[in-house]
Amino acid sequence: MVSPPRYWRRLQAKRALRSAVITSAESFGVSIAKRFLPSVAVDAYRFRGMSRKQVPVSIQFQELGLLLADGRSVLDGVSGSFLPGRMVAIMGPSGAGKTTFMNVLCGKATYGEMTGQVTFNDGQLDLPTMKQGMGFVPQDDIVHEQLTVRENIFFSAKLRNPYDAPDALLEEVVEDVLNVMQMTHIQGSVVGGVEERGISGGQRKRVNIGLELAARPTVLYLDEPTSGLDSTSSLQVINSLSKMARLDMTIAMVIHQPRYPLFSLFDDVLLLGPGGRTVYLGPSQGAKGYFTSLGFEMPDSENPADWLMDVLSGVVPNDQLSDFRPAMLFDIWKSKKDSINRDQVRRSLTALEDSAVLVNAIEEEWAKIDKDSSGSMDAKELSLLLQTCGEKQPHPEAVSEMLRQISGGKDFATKQDMVTFVHRLRTSDPTSAGGGGGTGMAAPAAVEETQRLLTRQPGEAPTEGRPLPRFTLPRPGFCQQCGIVLQRRFAMFMRETWRRMVDLGLVFLCSSGIGVMHRGGNGANSLDLPGNLHMFFIGLALLSAVSSLKVFGENRPMFWRESANGISVGAFFTARALGNVFDVLLLGSTYVLIYFILTRPPVPYMDYFIPGLLVAFAAASWGYLISAVIQPHNATTATVMFVLVGCGILGNPYRTTDLMDGGAKEILLSLSLNRWALPMCLSATIESAQSESLCIDVNVLLAHQVYHNEMSHGKYTLWNQGVLALSCTTLVVTLLAFLGLKFTNRSKQV
């Protein structure tokens, strides 16, 4: 029989365990809700790394226009303002100049002559001053496909925040972006691309936006951020951006005929008519009323956004305006624009729209949850789901309690059970900081650190009490940017094992094929020695140059994006080139080693390795130059032509008598990589044969004599000449590649 004290102790222990289980289950419920439901994951989230803008920025534009080189005007007399803390949609029919208008606003319209004026805060700030306070999200999803979602956001934050921002603050900024853009559950997933499947298109779009949010911009421009997305995913993206506007961020975006729930999320809308002229600028909720007051009638079943486009295109008739033409709307707007009230309360997602977002999110993840494809989720699968939500080794009893709450007492839960359960939590978040959710208020430490960094003058220590922050934030310098880009390149490098193995396989096949053909023919008494060495260096140069095309060819759009955002071209180039050194060493040394083993030339290995490595790096520099100045789809052809002509034809050892002619022909032949590398190996082979009193083929002697004119100069003069010439070629061509990267496609780097 159990004594009463022991019984009560056991009962209290059971109660404590039950309480802990229920508490854990409640915490698990919040984790699941934050993963799937935007109203919990965003509205109840308290910003930690981001804060309200200390100097909110309004944008004023007067008589804005753009004249193209052929004299056409694609934008004409657009005037108005965008206010801080508000999200503006720029809409209009095709050809109305929507993207052109936004490009002019942010200084990217280098393809024409801008007319009019753009100012910030009524002229207190100009465009050059605001550059670092801006973010621009392109229509194409330009992201780092080999990085995870979190790595993409983190490296963007490192490159585009103040140089002395603490890592703790940057981590909080990354967490803010992941939470606001609803990407916490995929933060460890590699983005991927066309060849290697990664995250979905909607998630990729959020990463594209998150790269700019990580810079904590004061003004954010977006070019059709919902293109290619379904209606529910579009709602998720725009709803997330509306939360960023609550930080007093000024957000303007081009958007194409959204459905009404999405359209009404915008605070303001700018409507451009044909010819790029203003038709309306004001609250989105007031756009319908404005046009109905002009005599246009909208059917009850019509989508207001589609109806507005029909009005601007002249499709909708108007009984009050005789002989109505769309051009009449411009003059009407000029007479009525002062009567538009820009004061409007921001709208949030309705319960119905939130339900659509939730169902879409659960549908998207259910295949990962339902591991055995049974159509339901058991306790083991729920435990795995909780671990992906950030819960470390959830207690089995807490998992069982969680499953009971979701399923209503059953041993399994269906998709509908999950939807119903999360809906019950949409108004209760135990972990919400009271009043802090969605208000845009940051944690005190982040506020203090942000204020300290923003108010610092360039080149001086922090000063207490400075009233206004500066927009020209001190970004990381050249060396810091090099370090960050190298760190990013290393993260990519670790995920390229398979590609590197394929490259090594191709090197093995190429080197083995050439080595087998030349086996026994690389001695000083071989008639074929000059030709064999010639082919050996051609293969090496071709492999090195082609493999180096990816260094700048694959990342051109990302380079243009980062360069436009103030990232140093020199830092990007240096880090990328340094990151390729290992690959050049690996491919070059493997090629030379296999060839040397198969041919067994009568010289030390280093007499082949050093010339081979010099050729590999010189050819790689040509790969950099070609990838920097030639379009990727033409770069491979150009590289093959360069190697065949530059190394194959110009470096042909059986035409060395042309070197005796002097003049322009000699200068042209001297540009060949084989011109310098081949005699280095010839000299080593001849000297080895002479030391052992072996026969030397007359063709080998002739080629060597033509290269040197006098045998008495010996190996080291020849060796020094080759090392110097190939090293200088590498440095000079690499410098030309940098200049090519910096000065070509300049219009895409602004």
Side-chain angles (χ1 to χ4, degrees):
M1 181 176 179
V2 179
S3 62
R6 183 178 300 177
Y7 168 80
W8 286 113
R9 285 197 298 271
R10 289 183 178 179
L11 181 59
Q12 290 174 352
K14 288 182 179 180
R15 287 176 175 174
L17 177 60
R18 179 61 180 169
S19 176
V21 167
I22 293 176
T23 300
S24 297
E26 290 176 349
S27 175
F28 295 165
V30 172
S31 298
I32 292 176
K34 283 188 174 183
R35 172 165 182 167
F36 292 118
L37 190 61
S39 60
V40 174
V42 176
D43 289 346
Y45 180 75
R46 187 182 184 194
F47 288 101
R48 293 178 289 176
M50 296 185 180
S51 62
R52 290 185 181 276
K53 305 304 174 186
Q54 295 184 2
V55 178
V57 171
S58 60
I59 308 171
Q60 295 80 36
F61 40 95
Q62 297 295 328
E63 298 297 323
L64 212 58
L66 188 71
L67 294 175
L68 300 181
D70 59 6
R72 289 185 300 115
S73 175
V74 292
L75 202 66
D76 184 18
V78 181
S79 299
S81 63
F82 294 157
L83 304 178
R86 299 177 75 84
M87 190 166 60
V88 184
I90 303 170
M91 297 176 57
S94 298
K98 303 180 293 295
T99 299
T100 298
F101 168 72
M102 192 168 64
N103 286 339
V104 171
L105 277 186
C106 56
K108 290 181 175 291
T110 57
Y111 46 86
E113 179 184 354
M114 188 190 91
T115 59
Q117 187 178 24
V118 180
T119 59
F120 303 88
N121 283 1
D122 296 318
Q124 297 179 21
L125 301 165
D126 57 13
L127 183 59
T129 306
M130 277 300 303
K131 271 290 188 179
Q132 288 190 177
M134 287 183 182
F136 182 87
V137 179
Q139 180 178 352
D140 297 326
D141 299 328
I142 301 173
V143 295
H144 292 287
E145 297 180 349
Q146 295 165 299
L147 296 179
T148 65
V149 171
R150 187 181 187 89
E151 287 169 345
N152 267 277
I153 306 302
F154 174 75
F155 286 116
S156 180
K158 288 276 285 184
L159 284 169
R160 297 181 58 189
N161 277 279
Y163 71 94
D164 54 354
D167 287 341
L169 176 62
L170 296 181
E171 289 290 349
E172 290 178 343
V173 170
V174 173
E175 288 294 334
D176 286 344
V177 173
L178 292 173
N179 276 277
V180 170
M181 296 308 297
Q182 303 164 38
M183 299 188 294
T184 53
H185 64 292
I186 59 166
Q187 60 180 302
S189 301
V190 176
V191 172
V194 177
E195 296 181 358
E196 183 177 352
R197 181 66 178 170
I199 60 179
S200 68
Q203 293 166 341
R204 186 184 177 97
K205 181 72 68 177
R206 293 178 216 168
V207 176
N208 186 34
I209 298 171
L211 291 177
E212 297 301 317
L213 295 182
R216 296 183 290 174
T218 302
V219 177
L220 180 64
Y221 299 106
L222 303 98
D223 188 6
E224 299 201 25
T226 60
S227 63
L229 301 182
D230 58 52
S231 57
T232 303
S233 297
S234 298
L235 271 175
Q236 290 176 314
V237 169
I238 301 303
N239 189 54
S240 297
L241 288 170
S242 70
K243 305 306 181 294
M244 300 307 302
R246 297 181 185 179
L247 300 180
D248 291 329
M249 187 183 295
T250 307
I251 301 178
M253 69 184 75
V254 173
I255 195 160
H256 183 69
Q257 291 184 253
R259 66 186 185 121
Y260 182 70
L262 190 149
F263 174 75
S264 58
L265 283 175
F266 291 97
D267 301 301
D268 298 314
V269 60
L270 168 64
L271 298 178
L272 297 177
R277 300 177 65 184
T278 309
V279 171
Y280 175 84
L281 173 57
S284 61
Q285 301 285 10
K288 174 186 172 183
Y290 170 76
F291 285 99
T292 54
S293 70
L294 300 181
F296 297 99
E297 294 184 5
M298 188 187 80
D300 293 337
S301 60
E302 186 81 8
N303 175 12
D306 293 336
W307 178 74
L308 289 173
M309 294 302 100
D310 291 340
V311 170
L312 301 186
S313 301
V315 177
V316 180
N318 190 311
D319 296 333
Q320 295 183 17
L321 300 174
S322 59
D323 194 24
F324 168 72
R325 300 182 309 278
M328 298 170 63
L329 295 172
F330 310 141
D331 297 328
I332 295 174
W333 168 249
K334 286 185 177 181
S335 64
K336 291 180 175 291
K337 63 181 180 181
D338 294 334
S339 63
I340 300 297
N341 182 11
R342 298 288 294 277
D343 187 19
Q344 176 193 4
V345 177
R346 181 177 284 106
R347 173 186 173 278
S348 298
L349 285 177
T350 65
L352 182 61
E353 294 154 7
D354 222 347
S355 298
V357 171
L358 172 61
V359 171
N360 181 74
I362 292 180
E363 287 282 355
E364 184 175 289
E365 294 292 319
W366 189 256
K368 299 177 183 179
I369 297 172
D370 185 13
K371 299 290 187 181
D372 56 5
S373 302
S374 63
S376 60
M377 175 180 63
D378 57 25
K380 182 179 179 180
E381 291 167 338
L382 176 58
S383 178
L384 294 174
L385 171 62
L386 291 171
Q387 291 179 39
T388 64
C389 293
E391 303 290 346
K392 296 181 179 180
Q393 297 181 344
H395 194 279
E397 292 193 29
V399 173
S400 298
E401 174 64 22
M402 181 82 265
L403 183 61
R404 187 192 66 78
Q405 292 182 14
I406 295 174
S407 64
K410 302 191 295 287
D411 293 330
F412 59 88
T414 63
K415 278 190 287 188
Q416 185 57 47
D417 292 334
M418 180 70 77
V419 172
T420 303
F421 171 76
V422 178
H423 264 306
R424 293 201 305 265
L425 295 177
R426 68 188 311 274
T427 57
S428 59
D429 183 4
T431 64
S432 173
T439 63
M441 299 302 293
V447 172
E448 293 176 4
E449 181 59 27
T450 303
Q451 184 172 7
R452 180 184 71 81
L453 292 169
L454 289 175
T455 56
R456 180 181 301 185
Q457 297 283 352
E460 70 178 21
T463 304
E464 298 295 334
R466 190 177 300 278
L468 293 176
R470 295 176 57 87
F471 291 97
T472 53
L473 306 179
R475 297 277 185 89
F478 176 85
C479 293
Q480 286 179 300
Q481 289 186 19
C482 278
I484 296 170
V485 178
L486 268 175
Q487 184 182 359
R488 185 175 68 188
R489 182 71 192 99
F490 180 75
M492 297 178 184
F493 176 88
M494 298 304 292
R495 297 190 177 96
E496 294 176 341
T497 303
W498 175 248
R499 181 195 61 77
R500 197 164 286 107
M501 294 298 293
V502 172
D503 285 348
L504 285 175
L506 295 175
V507 168
F508 178 83
L509 290 176
C510 180
S511 184
S512 298
I514 297 175
V516 170
M517 291 170 54
H518 297 170
R519 191 164 187 171
N522 277 22
N525 62 343
S526 173
L527 172 67
D528 298 326
L529 176 60
N532 290 351
L533 292 175
H534 181 56
M535 185 178 295
F536 164 72
F537 285 118
I538 289 177
L540 177 57
L542 189 60
L543 286 171
S544 182
V546 171
S547 68
S548 297
L549 292 176
K550 66 181 182 297
V551 178
F552 300 111
E554 292 180 355
N555 294 275
R556 285 156 64 99
M558 178 55 75
F559 163 70
W560 294 332
R561 179 175 184 173
E562 293 185 335
S563 177
N565 288 322
I567 307 303
S568 167
V569 179
F572 179 89
F573 181 90
T574 302
R576 293 287 298 180
L578 288 176
N580 193 51
V581 167
F582 177 81
D583 281 341
V584 176
L585 281 171
L586 179 64
L587 296 182
S589 58
T590 302
Y591 180 93
V592 175
L593 179 62
I594 294 172
Y595 182 85
F596 188 87
I597 291 175
L598 291 176
T599 58
R600 298 180 179 274
V603 293
Y605 172 68
M606 296 304 293
D607 288 341
Y608 270 59
F609 177 75
I610 292 177
L613 213 57
L614 290 171
V615 168
F617 277 103
S621 68
W622 281 102
Y624 301 156
L625 177 60
I626 292 171
S627 65
V629 301
I630 296 179
Q631 294 295 328
H633 54 271
N634 295 325
T636 302
T637 303
T639 304
V640 173
M641 289 180 60
F642 159 74
V643 173
L644 291 180
V645 174
C647 295
I649 298 176
L650 297 181
N652 189 345
Y654 299 112
R655 294 180 57 87
T656 52
T657 53
D658 292 336
L659 293 173
M660 304 296 293
D661 297 340
K665 185 181 292 188
E666 181 177 353
I667 296 175
L668 184 63
L669 293 175
S670 297
L671 297 177
S672 171
L673 304 183
N674 283 20
R675 161 67 179 86
W676 303 104
L678 193 148
M680 293 173 70
C681 289
L682 276 180
S683 176
T685 304
I686 289 175
E687 181 172 301
S688 175
Q690 288 177 336
S691 64
E692 299 180 12
S693 301
L694 299 177
C695 294
I696 303 175
D697 186 83
V698 65
N699 288 303
V700 176
L701 287 173
L702 177 61
H704 186 268
Q705 184 177 3
V706 171
Y707 280 127
H708 287 274
N709 295 328
E710 294 183 4
M711 288 293 294
S712 59
H713 283 254
K715 165 186 175 181
Y716 298 103
T717 299
L718 172 64
W719 198 266
N720 293 339
Q721 289 176 347
V723 170
L724 180 62
L726 291 173
S727 299
C728 288
T729 298
T730 302
L731 294 176
V732 171
V733 177
T734 300
L735 177 60
L736 293 176
F738 164 72
L739 296 176
L741 190 68
K742 183 177 179 64
F743 293 108
T744 56
N745 299 290
R746 290 292 295 168
S747 62
K748 298 179 181 180
Q749 300 181 38
V750 296

